[in-house]
Amino acid sequence: QKAVKAQLDTDGLSDDREDLLEASYEQLEDAHDGMMDWMENMKPLETLRETMDNDAIITYIREESADIADVEAQINTAIATAKELVGDHSGHAHGAGGHVH
């Protein structure tokens, strides 16, 4: 998010570039919020043991595993998009300076 924000703060951005960066920033925010919501709503094992039998606990954990996998995919997509945007932009800014491999 910091790298995307830094790009947004750059003077002379085209409207299209600004729109892409803003969308990427929002995508990162949404991914972060999804993770925080999942963490906040995850019930501690002690609570599960007090209110559920073993089969229900296993079902709950499987459902939560699927939910966090969705959150992980959202986070990975948001990060990949942001890296591509920031990487593409910084690549153009360096011109033909070359890269050391």
Side-chain angles (χ1 to χ4, degrees), residues 1-74:
Q1 281 181 303
K2 289 178 185 177
V4 172
K5 179 70 171 140
Q7 293 287 318
L8 278 168
D9 291 342
T10 303
D11 291 331
L13 287 177
S14 70
D15 289 343
D16 288 345
R17 176 96 180 137
E18 187 172 349
D19 289 346
L20 287 172
L21 289 166
E22 286 175 355
S24 177
Y25 193 87
E26 288 177 22
Q27 186 180 29
L28 289 164
E29 279 288 319
D30 290 345
H32 178 266
D33 291 346
M35 178 187 64
M36 297 306 287
D37 289 345
W38 181 85
M39 289 172 53
E40 184 178 317
N41 293 316
M42 181 69 177
K43 296 176 186 173
L45 187 55
E46 298 79 30
T47 301
L48 298 177
R49 287 181 178 151
E50 292 171 2
T51 59
M52 297 179 181
D53 65 19
N54 285 342
D55 289 339
I57 291 171
I58 290 170
T59 299
Y60 175 79
I61 290 172
R62 285 183 178 148
E63 290 170 355
E64 290 302 313
S65 292
D67 289 347
I68 197 59
D70 290 343
V71 170
E72 179 184 23
Q74 182 183 18

